[in-house]
Each structure stands twice: as C-alpha cells, then as structure tokens.
Amino acid sequence: MPQLRIALAQLDAVVGDIPGNLERILAAARDASDAGAHLVALPEMMLTGYPIEDLALRSSFVEASRTALDGLATRLAEAGLGELPVVVGYLGRAEGETDRLGRPKGSPQNAAAVVCGGEVVASYAKHHLPNYGVFDEYRYFVSGHDSIVVRVRGVDVALAICEDLWQDGPAAAAKAAGAGLLLVINGSPYEAEKDDVRGELCVRRATEAGCPLAYVNLVGGQDELVFDGDSLVVDAVGDIVARAPQFEEHLLVVDLDLAAATEGVESTYADFTIRRVDLGLPEVAPHQPARPTVASWIEDEAEVYGALVLGLRDYVRKNGFRSVTFGFSGGIDSALVAAVAADAIGGENVYGISMPSRYSSEGSKDDAADLARRLGAHYRVVPIAPMVEAFADAVELTGVAEENLQARVRGVIVMGISNQEGHLVLATGNKSELAVGYSTMYGDSVGGYAPLKDVPKTLVYRLAQWRNKAAAERGEEPPVPESSISKPPSAELRPGQVDTDSLPDYPTLDDILDDYVERDVSARELVSQGFDPDVVGRVFRMVDHAEYKRRQYPPGPKITTRNFGRDRRLPITNAWRETT
Amino acid sequence: MPQLRIALAQLDAVVGDIPGNLERILAAARDASDAGAHLVALPEMMLTGYPIEDLALRSSFVEASRTALDGLATRLAEAGLGELPVVVGYLGRAEGETDRLGRPKGSPQNAAAVVCGGEVVASYAKHHLPNYGVFDEYRYFVSGHDSIVVRVRGVDVALAICEDLWQDGPAAAAKAAGAGLLLVINGSPYEAEKDDVRGELCVRRATEAGCPLAYVNLVGGQDELVFDGDSLVVDAVGDIVARAPQFEEHLLVVDLDLAAATEGVESTYADFTIRRVDLGLPEVAPHQPARPTVASWIEDEAEVYGALVLGLRDYVRKNGFRSVTFGFSGGIDSALVAAVAADAIGGENVYGISMPSRYSSEGSKDDAADLARRLGAHYRVVPIAPMVEAFADAVELTGVAEENLQARVRGVIVMGISNQEGHLVLATGNKSELAVGYSTMYGDSVGGYAPLKDVPKTLVYRLAQWRNKAAAERGEEPPVPESSISKPPSAELRPGQVDTDSLPDYPTLDDILDDYVERDVSARELVSQGFDPDVVGRVFRMVDHAEYKRRQYPPGPKITTRNFGRDRRLPITNAWRETT
C-alpha cells in the first residue's frame, strides 16, 4: 500500500482578513513541508474566515477571495512548495448550471480548492448546506453537484466539506469512487460534548467509505461561535489514530498506509458525477511513520472553560482591544468572568470596578477586592450613592424602578471608564438570568461581549469549582474566592434580597430551561414529568416575556446546543403561551 | 360566464394568538357572507400570524394550528357559513414524501386551507420558499409539490401563496389547469414603492394565467415588519379592478365574470400534479355587480409615514402598552417620532421629557415645549446637570466619554420614568446615524422600539415637511415646529457642536449609504461615480465599525429594501475593508 504523510492545519482564521489568512495558510504549508508532509489540508472557508454572513453576497468580496486563491497558488510555487498539494476552503462562485433550488450560476459557493504546481487544479463545492441552528447557508450558497477525487502520489483522495459528513451520500460516494482517503475540511462550532458526537460520526463514515478519514477543523472565536479544532484522523477500521488538542492551533501530521488508486471504478454516484484529477506526482518511497499526536479527551468543565477562554481572547484580539473592564460585585458570575478574562488575556489587562451601594454587604466588597488580588487585576472602588441620590432627587423612582436605577448607574460608570480608557466592557450575566429576564437593560447588561451568555447558573458554579480545583492541583492559588461560591446568590439591590425571592432555586430553574429553551419540550410534558405546574407556567411566561431584553444583549460564546443568538429565533411580539 | 362575488379580508393578525386570529377570521367570514360573497380569502398564515419564526419548530404550536383549523371549520358551519368557502393561511404539516431538500415528511408547511361544509376540504402548501432578505423559510418549512384547483360554483380557482407569485411556474400552472381565477394569499411586508412592483407583478401574472388574479395581503405591524395590505384584484386583461387601502383593515368585495370550469384540462404541469376538488356548490344566479373599492396610490412620503404609524401602533398595542415616553430634544428626529406617536396612539398617550444640559440651546428647549403643546403631549423638564456632575465627581470623563455621559444620564432618566410609569420607551435615532454609529450606546439609543431605525435623515426631513403640509391642508396646526426643521442638526453635547463636525452633510451621506448599505455597491464603484475617495472611505469604515452598536439597537419598522435587522447580516468581528 502507498504511504502518505498528511498534515491537517488546525488554524484560527480572521473573518474578512483575506490577506492575513493567506499568510496563515502559507506559513502552515511551509510547516507541513518542513514536517515532510505530502498533502496539507486547511479548514472550511480558511481563506475568508467563517462564517462570513452577508459578505458572501458582495461581489467585491467574492472577487477578493478568488483573486487571493490564485495568488496563493503563485506564492506557494514561489516558495518552493509547488509539489505540496494544498486543500483549502474558500469562497467560490458557481460555474455550472442552476442548483437544485433553481438559483442561477454565478452564485457564491462554499468550496474547497486543490492547489498544486502553482495552479488551482480542482475545486469542490459543498453538497449539503446546513440551514438550521446557527447556520443560514441556503441564504448564501448554491450547493455543488460533483464529487472530486484527486490522485495524490498514487492515492485517490475524495473531498467533502463539513455538513457533507453529517449527511448520507458523500462517504458512500467516496467508496464508489474507490477512494483511498476521505478528506473533510470543516468549520464546525463548539457545543458541549459535540466532540464525542463528531468522533463517532468520523468513525462511522470511515467505515462506510472503507478508507481512512481525515477531519480538519477551524479553531478560534468568531462573534458568538467558538471553533474548537478537535481535528482527527480515523483509519479504515474506525480507530482514531490522531487527534489535535481543542482550543489551540495545531499542525496534525500523520503517516497513513492507503489503498493504491485503481482504474475502472465508478464515475458516477447517485445523481452526481465523480470528477477525477491526477496531480501527476510520483508515489512516495517507503519511510518510517512519524508518531502522531493523539490528544486525550478532557472533562466537560475543562472543555467549556476552554471554549470561554478562547472565545473571549479572540473577541478581544480580533476587535482590536487589549483590556477589559466590568463590575466586580463579589458574586459568582463576575468572579468567573474575571477568572476567564485573566486566563484569556492576563490579569494585568483586567480592570475591575467595585461599585457598592448601601445594600452591598461587607462580604461582597471584601470578595471583590480579594478576587482582584488573586488575579493580579486592576481594581478601583466607585460608590454609587451620590449618583443614585442625584437621580432620586430629580425623578421619583420606587420599587423595581429604583432597583434598576442602581444597576443603570453602575452601567454608566463602567461605560464611562471604557470610553475614557479604551477597555472592552464585559457583561457578566449568565444564561439562566437572560432566559427569565432577571437583569436590568442598560444596567448589568451593558457590554460588548458577554462570556457567560450561554452558561446556565448551575454550570457557572461547576466551572468556578473546576477552575479552583485545577489551580489547587497545580499548586496555585484558586482564582475564585470561596465565599463567592458558597454564599446565596443575590443582586443586592434591596435589603436582604436573594435571587430565590423572584426565581425558583437554580437547579430547578436550569432543569426547566434545559427542556424548554434548548429542546422545545412543552409545558404539558414537563408537568407530566413531575414539575410543579405553577413553577413551569411561571418560568415559561418569564422566558417568553424576556425576548425583548435578549434582543439587545451583547454577543457571547455559544456552548450549548441552542444559544440565545442565532440558534433560537423568536418574535418579540408573540402572544403564544404554552398551557400546562 | 359564471359570476362570483369574492371577498378579500385584509386583516391584522397577531403572531401566536391562534384563538384571537380564529375569531378575526370568523368575523371576516360573517362580514363577507353579509356582503353576499361566494368565496372569502384571508392572508398567508392568518391563523398563526406571520412570521412566526422558531415557533414553527415547536410541535405544540403546529398542533395548535391544526386543531384550530378544524375548530374553525366547525365554527363556520355552526354559524351558518358552511356554504361559504374560506381560503385561509395556516401552519400545516407535510404529509407527503421528503421535499426537494430531502427533509422528512412531518415537517412544518406554510399552507392554505380550503374550508367548506364544516370540513377542511383541501390544503395547498407553498411551493417557493423565500430565503433572502428578511425571510428564512428554508429554516422552517418544506415546500409543496401539488397544485390545487378548487371548483367553486362552476369556476375553477387555482391557489398560490406569496413567493409563488414572484417565481415563474404557478401562473403558468393555473393556465394549464384551465383556472378561471388565480387566488393568491400573502404576507408581503412593506417597502417603499413595493406597491408599484407588486401591482405590476399581479398584472403580469394575471396575463400569464389568462384569468383574473385576486391578491390578499396581511396588514399590521410585527416587530420590524409592517404589512401594508394593498390587496387587489386584476382582471384577465391586466386591469386593476379593485384595490384595498394600505395600512388599515379592509374587506374588499368584488364581482367577477369568470370562465366556466371545463373538463379535460391538464392534470399535471412541469413536475407537479394538479389536484382538483369540487365543492359541489351550484352556480350563482346572474346578479348586479357591486362597485368595488379602488384605493388610489398615495404619494411616497404619505406611504412611509403610514407605515411608521401602523408599525408603532401595533408594536405598542400587541405588546400590552398604552403609552410611550422619550426625550424631546427640540431636534427633528424626536419631533418626527412624537408626531408619528401622536398619530398612532394619541398625543395624550405621549410622555415627552426635556432633559436640557448646559449645552442645550434656548431654541431647542422652546422647540421641545412647543412640540408637546402642538401634540397635546405630556411634558416635563428634568435638567441633567446634577447627575452629570455626580458622575464627573466620581470618575474622570473627558472628550467623547463626557459627551456619552450626558446621553447616558438621559437614558437612565427615560428608562426610570418608563419603569415607574409603565410607558414604552422609544429610541429616536434615524438610519443614517445608526449606519455610521453616530449615537451613544445606552444613551440616546435606549428603548423598546425605534420608529426611525430604517429612515435616512434626509427622509426624516421630507416626512416632517410632508406631515406639516398635510396638517396645513386640513386646516390643522402643523405638528413639527418649523425651527426643528430649519436649524442645523446638532447632538448639543458640546458648545457649538453640529453634526457636520463629524459627518459629511446628510444629502451626501445618505447618497453613499443608499449605495453601500442597501445595494452593496463597492467603494471603487462609488469613486468612479465621482464621490470623494476620502469621504467614501471614511463612511465605509464608520459603517463597518458600527456593527456592534446596531446589534444592540431596538427593533424598528422596515421601510427600505434593506434594513439593519434581518435584511443585512454582517459579522461584528470583521476585518474586511473595501478599498477605494
């Protein structure tokens, strides 16, 4: 069997930065060549970044992607890498007839180019366009019809892009085409435990294709998405033989024994044509296989925490910030955000602001200061009483209006310091609060990015505990003050207030939210499972009523199967109420 | 030729309010029956409201729609309306095989039911699903395959739903089926001048179908969409014979002479089957035709103004508010919003707040008070100096940070009064400002609804002038103070500030924005048209950079071809910059 050393470049692309992404691709190709690779693959839409949203509809952007692809081919050849085939995702333009939705040729395509010998020698357009959850690919792309098989040094390599792998067809087509390797380039966003599903899927498709499968994914944060990498290679019998670590860039280099290309295999499968391209490169001489990376699977909390850190770091970095600021309340949410921020960009780039009111406990003030000390964060104290009193003198505000006033005074202070000093503001609210509207618009919800937007409150606690435990295991001081974890959660907006005055206890609340928000379970079904009908009814009403608040909330990293951004799209004006 | 009196019920549905919409349908059927109609048609998704977004993905909601449809059939028969065929849009469920995207049966469908004799006798599923602009119908629905022709008192009536009319096929299918009438139910949102396009389209399709065409549309506001009605009937030679007024509910009753149904016509067209249902109702005796409404086309400003009024009224009403509040600055934007609000819900339900600073001119304060007087609005004055000083004492804020502080203090006051008194807050910013980020987050941008969100500044002026002229023509006092129109626009956040310190003059700015935002014209193309490259470059950068602000802006009514909500979806993290 011919040997082939393949390199999977798990890279962090920047949306819209075509020249920068081109340099990243070139550098990875150089590294792959230095590692002796015979083929290097880069993720879906690596050249443009992903997802590009409505940039796909701009002619100038499509042209820039196509021009850059030609430039990449030239640059690779100039760098002496002309004999290293590079498979890379880019934004293409359909050249065939109309697609199965009847859209005209010339429409944008989500495509994979094969670059070799200074030229773009083949292009594969994604067959299956995801149009659910966070994806809107029918808005942007026309789907491809053809299968592509590229002969690389005596091995036939079949191509696929991301969703193609999740649908039946492409693996079977690779088998029909007699492929020796199925190469899949991906832009697959993180969700908790998705790595398990993804691993199982690759195993199943490799078995169906009857050949090894190589899977390369993006890594990095892009607005609400975090790409976790998790690139891997599965052999023909379904064993995972290589795996890149999650949440960091990595060049995964693997030696594979692959079936030799044969003539006389099928040239069509189902309703599409199998197009074949021979790169004309000689077979590889037998060589000692390198020992590939096989990153181990990490525990759930470590994985979510890693996603939050990468999401925050990339949002800060890619948007030109260097530091962050937000209120340090002494509570668990702001403490976890501070720990994530310190891990992402360094404690010295975190600017904590304690903004005590007359309802703030001494314990909370101490915890806030202690947090800053543990992280090496900047810290200042701005008591809010003078501003609150100035408003109260001017306008009569009582009850919830007065509670909101305190939160909004804090919002104005944080935004003022951000404007004055140039820090990105982080909103510290969690998913449970956002679900039920337990927050003040333009108060605690101000910010450019909300790290815990998709993290339920019970998981906030687990993450803080996990992070402290991890620190302790490394002999470091745990970042989150113990009393921020142990004291009852409170907004401290009136004397003696605790969250359970207004909400069910968080374990119950999160149980209901997990069913309602993430899986559309009906109120009736929840009651039949034993939940209190009054509690279910109240939680459902709170969730439905809070849609207007969510619509103005900052973006934050998706970590669940259904976040409050693109995943769950509901009208604000909505009279539908589930009955229990 | 058989005669048929048809009634098109242009109604305002409430999303999610299935029981309420059912009552609205029943009432319209009664009115149609009282008017002697032989067939009544209601808009797309009338039973559920439209668009329902992710409600379509909830089993409980789909079941509620189907159950209500059966209930409607029963209620109609009980009300003695069993012999009046009712064509109505609802949320159905596919019963056939997979659709052309390969999605399984059982998926939701955007459907039209024919109800007669106490039963649902036929159902047509929309063939063409729009998935561009504000529409995401591939996310929700599977498309239909069959054509439906219903024999109503000797006339074959072909059905279509909205986008079907904009695509080739359905009109030709109606002709192939030998239809005597093509009936189209719609949920077609307002855009400036869309009524002209729509009218022309109906004329063209009627000609293609070779029979009259009846078009019934929703009316009313739903979050960012305003449905303008504009229901109409075109005869077989392409003359518009009836038209409902825009922006109000209307039952359009028309007598038509229609071709008699014949046997032996086609039972297939292209790749779909023509299914036929005979309601078994006798032909109508000859009768004197009623004189139908033919609403005249109104001027552009009147139309946009009508959309703003209806959008605001329905957002307030459908979300359970009775009054609105916002800052009266003395400027043109807040004056126009006040006029729209007074027209929508009455001046007595408008609560104006003047919040002068030391930079506010006497003229602005006078104009604000004058505006309130002209509209009969509530009015109070809350000087912001004490609060601004309290913040300035606590935190050092200079330059833009200090300007933003003033806007945010106003935001806190408005939100406090809203929380205390229960008014909906309106944000008064216009599309030009929102495009270039000329606003303060959590300052002038606070609010639940933003009436001018999609209105460019130059159009703000035209609308104010038009509204004043209309008042004068009716012998009423013009609502907008003349000096709010005539003085140079200024945020009044520092001494002598005018908008043109930071922005090109508004006619130039709006010209560029119209090209860039609404039509994706490239910077290079604009320069080749003669625009100053520096100005183009600066405006493009401001627009690109302000995406994060737009993401947290309140919803507002879409009136252009591309609004800043669902129509234009760009990443916040985006390094792409057009070069001039």
Side-chain angles (χ1 to χ4, degrees), chain A residues 10-71:
Chain A
Q10 174 172 301
L11 295 187
D12 192 345
V14 177
V15 162
D17 182 18
I18 293 175
N21 293 333
L22 192 154
E23 295 303 326
R24 290 175 190 105
I25 296 163
L26 273 173
R30 266 188 220 105
D31 291 346
S33 175
D34 292 346
H38 307 112
L39 171 67
V40 59
L42 298 105
E44 180 176 14
M45 298 285 273
M46 178 67 211
L47 190 56
T48 54
Y50 179 80
I52 55 172
E53 306 186 37
D54 280 10
L55 288 175
L57 306 178
R58 287 204 204 158
S59 299
S60 54
F61 192 75
V62 180
E63 281 318 303
S65 170
R66 286 157 52 102
T67 305
L69 184 67
D70 291 336

Side-chain angles (χ1 to χ4, degrees), chain B residues 299-333:
Chain B
E299 60 189 314
D300 292 350
E301 287 80 8
E303 195 184 85
V304 171
Y305 194 89
L308 300 183
V309 169
L310 178 56
L312 173 57
R313 182 190 299 134
D314 268 6
Y315 194 88
V316 169
R317 182 175 68 86
K318 293 179 179 177
N319 285 291
F321 289 94
R322 302 179 60 175
S323 54
V324 297
T325 190
F326 52 99
F328 278 26
S329 73
I332 182 75
D333 295 328

Side-chain angles (χ1 to χ4, degrees), chain A residues 412-479:
Chain A
V412 174
I413 293 168
V414 173
M415 292 303 300
I417 289 171
S418 161
N419 289 160
Q420 187 76 16
E421 301 178 9
H423 320 299
L424 174 69
V425 174
L426 302 182
T428 59
N430 60 66
K431 187 177 194 176
S432 310
E433 286 177 359
L434 191 60
V436 295
Y438 193 69
S439 69
T440 300
M441 291 183 88
Y442 323 126
D444 51 304
S445 65
V446 303
Y449 190 73
L452 307 185
K453 183 177 184 180
D454 201 33
V455 183
K457 185 80 173 189
T458 49
L459 181 54
V460 169
Y461 282 103
R462 291 211 310 277
L463 292 173
Q465 282 159 339
W466 171 84
R467 181 65 185 80
N468 274 5
K469 179 170 67 81
E473 284 169 5
R474 289 197 298 265
E476 298 167 1
E477 183 177 34

Side-chain angles (χ1 to χ4, degrees), chain B residues 173-317:
Chain B
K175 186 181 183 72
L181 175 68
L182 175 54
L183 175 60
V184 192
I185 69 171
N186 302 272
S188 173
Y190 175 72
E191 281 172 15
E193 295 165 46
K194 190 172 181 182
D195 56 337
D196 301 337
V197 180
R198 205 186 264 150
E200 284 163 20
L201 178 71
C202 287
V203 166
R204 178 153 60 90
R205 294 303 186 197
T207 313
E208 283 174 27
C211 67
L213 184 155
Y215 180 103
V216 59
N217 193 16
L218 281 169
V219 68
Q222 168 59 29
D223 288 352
E224 296 213 315
L225 301 184
V226 179
F227 298 94
D228 57 328
D230 189 27
S231 301
L232 46 81
V233 178
V234 178
D235 69 17
V237 296
D239 287 330
I240 293 178
V241 296
R243 181 174 184 250
Q246 287 173 284
F247 309 116
E248 57 188 75
E249 293 195 325
H250 189 86
L251 188 74
L252 190 65
V253 179
V254 192
D255 281 286
L256 294 169
D257 294 320
L258 300 168
T262 54
E263 304 306 327
V265 292
E266 299 298 324
S267 62
T268 59
Y269 176 78
D271 61 347
F272 50 82
T273 306
I274 298 171
R275 287 198 286 130
R276 293 176 183 277
V277 179
D278 189 338
L279 302 182
L281 297 169
E283 279 196 31
V284 176
H287 59 274
Q288 186 64 26
R291 187 133 131 225
T293 303
V294 189
S296 52
W297 267 258
I298 58 180
E299 60 189 314
D300 292 350
E301 287 80 8
E303 195 184 85
V304 171
Y305 194 89
L308 300 183
V309 169
L310 178 56
L312 173 57
R313 182 190 299 134
D314 268 6
Y315 194 88
V316 169
R317 182 175 68 86

Side-chain angles (χ1 to χ4, degrees), chain A residues 14-18 51-55 57-61 64 100-103 131-140 221-223 314-315 318-319 380 382-383 386-387 390-391 394-402 404-405 408-413 415-417 419-420 440-442 445-449 516 520 522 544-545 548 551-555 562 566-578, chain B residues 14-18 51-55 57-61 64 100-103 131-140 221-223 314-315 318-319 380 382-383 386-387 390-391 394-402 404-405 408-413 415-417 419-420 440-442 445-449 516 520 522 544-545 548 551-555 562 566-578:
Chain A
V14 177
V15 162
D17 182 18
I18 293 175
I52 55 172
E53 306 186 37
D54 280 10
L55 288 175
L57 306 178
R58 287 204 204 158
S59 299
S60 54
F61 192 75
R100 62 193 165 129
L101 294 182
R103 285 172 297 191
N131 204 65
Y132 53 81
V134 299
F135 302 108
D136 291 292
E137 294 207 355
Y138 277 115
R139 180 178 174 90
Y140 300 120
Q222 169 59 31
D223 288 351
D314 269 7
Y315 193 89
K318 293 179 180 177
N319 285 292
R380 78 191 89 183
V382 185
M387 288 77 93
F391 282 105
V395 194
E396 193 202 351
L397 300 173
T398 56
V400 171
E402 196 242 337
N404 284 336
L405 170 62
R408 291 200 181 107
V409 164
R410 292 189 175 113
V412 174
I413 293 168
M415 292 303 300
I417 289 171
N419 289 160
Q420 187 76 16
T440 300
M441 291 183 88
Y442 323 126
S445 65
V446 303
Y449 190 73
Y516 181 41
D520 279 341
S522 69
D544 293 344
H545 182 67
Y548 74 102
R551 213 59 84 77
Q552 294 188 40
Y553 206 75
R562 191 178 292 173
R566 297 270 155 83
D567 260 341
R568 187 177 189 273
R569 308 180 190 177
L570 286 168
I572 297 173
T573 305
N574 174 11
W576 174 246
R577 298 293 175 262
E578 293 260 344
Chain B
V14 176
V15 161
D17 182 18
I18 294 176
I52 54 171
E53 307 187 40
D54 279 10
L55 288 176
L57 306 177
R58 287 203 202 157
S59 299
S60 54
F61 192 74
R100 63 193 165 133
L101 295 179
R103 286 172 298 192
N131 205 64
Y132 53 80
V134 299
F135 302 108
D136 291 293
E137 295 208 353
Y138 277 116
R139 179 178 174 91
Y140 300 120
Q222 168 59 29
D223 288 352
D314 268 6
Y315 194 88
K318 293 179 179 177
N319 285 291
R380 76 191 93 185
V382 185
M387 288 76 93
F391 282 103
V395 194
E396 193 199 350
L397 300 174
T398 56
V400 171
E402 196 241 338
N404 284 338
L405 171 61
R408 291 200 181 107
V409 164
R410 293 188 174 115
V412 174
I413 293 168
M415 291 304 298
I417 288 171
N419 289 160
Q420 187 75 17
T440 300
M441 290 183 87
Y442 323 127
S445 65
V446 304
Y449 190 74
Y516 182 41
D520 280 340
S522 71
D544 293 345
H545 182 68
Y548 74 102
R551 213 59 84 77
Q552 295 187 40
Y553 206 75
R562 192 178 290 173
R566 296 270 156 82
D567 260 341
R568 187 175 187 272
R569 308 179 189 180
L570 286 167
I572 296 173
T573 306
N574 174 12
W576 173 248
R577 298 291 174 262
E578 294 260 343

